[in-house]
Amino acid sequence: MAAVCRMLRLAAARYPCRPGVFRQFSAGPSFQYILVERKGQSQNVGFIQLNRPKALNALCDGLMTEINRALDSFEADPQIGAIVITGSEKAFAAGADIKEMQNRTFQECYGGSFLAHWNRVSTVRKPVIAAVNGYALGGGCELAMMCDIIYAGEKAQFGQPEILLGTIPGAGGTQRLTRAVGKSLAMEMVLTGDRINAQEAKEAGLVSRVYPVDKVVDEAITCGEKIAQNSKLIVSMAKEAVNGAFELSLSEGNRLEKRLFHSTFATDDRKEGMTAFVEKRKTNFNDH
Ligand code: CAA
């Protein structure tokens, strides 16, 4: 233990000007590229802030690995009922790290399944809310779209500018953007590299709400708290059912919904929810 502490002290001395380096999340892992905290009055909202300000939160491999680790921690934490991911006021994330990708070969990308570990956000069972300020470009837009809900600050900008770099989106942009905003706008954005602003993103259905820049993170946390007050078990079922709409035919999706709906009747929390209503009292869910 003493040796570990000495290593951390040495490392902290070596990287004095990089905020977030070796910041601890409870007794769990330490992080270099992100800040990880619990938020909300009941400390039941997991909070991940991308923290590479000088690179506009470009998503280097290390940063994505850290996001995955933080998500694993929150997913396993029974107290956490929702997760918020945000960046800085200038940039949610300006995309995959172009400097890191610049000299990669096809063989390295294909052989190493480049970006294969980027989709952890989309497999988390707890709800994830993106609070987007500034640039959400390329992989940054894709990261936001992997989340379940997107709130945007008034100056947010969304885009898939990969075409301008001689490549195409590689973390779900062509698929999720098209499902979110429809073919015409998705094509326009992917083929021209043009960005849309927060209001346009709202009108197109990419984001659910737009807030002043300094309010969007708090609003996302408030939304997370509201979700976390519900049964975590039932929230996961509801999320699974909505996500079915993106993968399944209408009849298959309705079948999945029905099965999950029936399954809620096997839980304590369904019984508690309805009993509390009838008894005109507040619910007391136990996530069982
Ligand atoms: N990767 C690596 N570094 C990046 C970066 C990125 N995606 N985006 C910005 N940076 C770096 C810049 O190189 C610069 O670093 P230096 O100070 O060392 O030169 C620093 O961040 C600040 O950037 P700018 O000086 O460019 O800031 P700006 O305010 O003038 O412009 C911007 C902001 C319009 C976002 C511009 O930085 C930009 O166009 N960035 C690239 C956006 C992009 O193409 N994203 C897609 C990446 S590919 C991808 O994401 C593939 C995928 O599907 C996963």
Side-chain angles (χ1 to χ4, degrees):
M1 186 61 194
V4 173
C5 290
R6 206 175 67 235
M7 268 172 55
L8 285 174
R9 269 200 310 275
L10 279 173
R14 208 166 145 201
Y15 303 102
C17 55
R18 292 169 66 186
V21 171
F22 301 109
R23 188 173 176 133
Q24 298 285 318
F25 168 56
S26 62
S30 55
F31 299 100
Q32 180 176 352
Y33 301 110
I34 60 177
L35 306 176
V36 180
E37 293 174 56
R38 292 161 196 274
K39 296 274 192 186
Q41 279 182 359
S42 306
Q43 299 281 282
N44 54 4
V45 178
F47 184 77
I48 299 173
Q49 181 168 22
L50 280 53
N51 190 34
R52 284 190 84 198
K54 286 186 188 153
L56 303 184
N57 292 329
L59 304 168
C60 60
D61 207 51
L63 189 151
M64 292 310 292
T65 303
E66 289 190 359
I67 288 183
N68 291 354
R69 277 171 41 209
L71 291 171
D72 288 345
S73 296
F74 287 142
E75 187 83 312
D77 185 335
Q79 201 191 340
I80 296 294
I83 298 162
V84 170
I85 299 182
T86 194
S88 66
E89 285 200 0
K90 176 149 190 200
F92 178 73
D97 191 318
I98 299 167
K99 293 167 189 166
E100 201 177 69
M101 284 189 293
Q102 183 187 3
N103 296 316
R104 270 184 202 256
T105 63
F106 162 74
Q107 286 79 1
E108 286 165 357
C109 289
Y110 187 76
S113 275
F114 181 40
L115 303 188
H117 71 295
W118 276 42
N119 73 341
R120 177 70 181 107
V121 179
S122 64
T123 63
V124 173
R125 300 185 73 158
K126 295 178 181 176
V128 186
I129 304 160
V132 176
N133 271 319
Y135 299 114
L137 303 179
C141 187
E142 291 169 307
L143 178 65
M145 290 191 294
M146 283 180 220
C147 299
D148 301 305
I149 297 170
I150 307 178
Y151 281 5
E154 280 164 348
K155 293 191 179 148
Q157 291 191 40
F158 297 83
Q160 297 290 161
E162 289 88 344
I163 200 81
L164 307 174
L165 300 168
T167 186
I168 71 169
T174 59
Q175 305 305 300
R176 292 198 176 92
L177 186 64
T178 308
R179 282 167 169 75
V181 306
K183 181 174 168 180
S184 182
L185 181 56
M187 278 289 189
E188 202 183 313
M189 290 171 69
V190 170
L191 301 185
T192 66
D194 284 352
R195 305 174 202 149
I196 57 172
N197 64 31
Q199 201 49 47
E200 289 166 325
K202 168 112 171 35
E203 280 157 22
L206 180 60
V207 313
S208 55
R209 290 179 200 275
V210 178
Y211 290 105
V213 172
D214 59 343
K215 295 276 185 307
V216 63
V217 172
D218 286 346
E219 293 290 348
I221 292 167
T222 301
C223 176
E225 286 185 278
K226 212 181 267 184
I227 292 169
Q229 279 169 13
N230 297 319
S231 161
K232 295 179 186 63
L233 184 64
I234 307 296
V235 163
S236 287
M237 288 180 175
K239 170 170 167 167
E240 187 180 345
V242 174
N243 276 336
F246 291 93
E247 307 279 352
L248 304 170
S249 69
L250 182 59
S251 59
E252 287 167 332
N254 279 332
R255 192 175 146 80
L256 170 71
E257 181 195 82
K258 204 68 87 238
R259 290 289 167 260
L260 287 165
F261 169 69
H262 292 160
S263 304
T264 65
F265 284 76
T267 68
D268 293 350
D269 284 342
R270 195 283 314 168
K271 179 92 176 145
E272 165 61 13
M274 293 189 182
T275 304
F277 175 83
V278 172
E279 293 177 357
K280 300 187 189 298
R281 61 170 173 81
K282 276 187 76 178
T283 50
N284 184 17
F285 294 126
N286 66 12
D287 305 323
H288 282 95

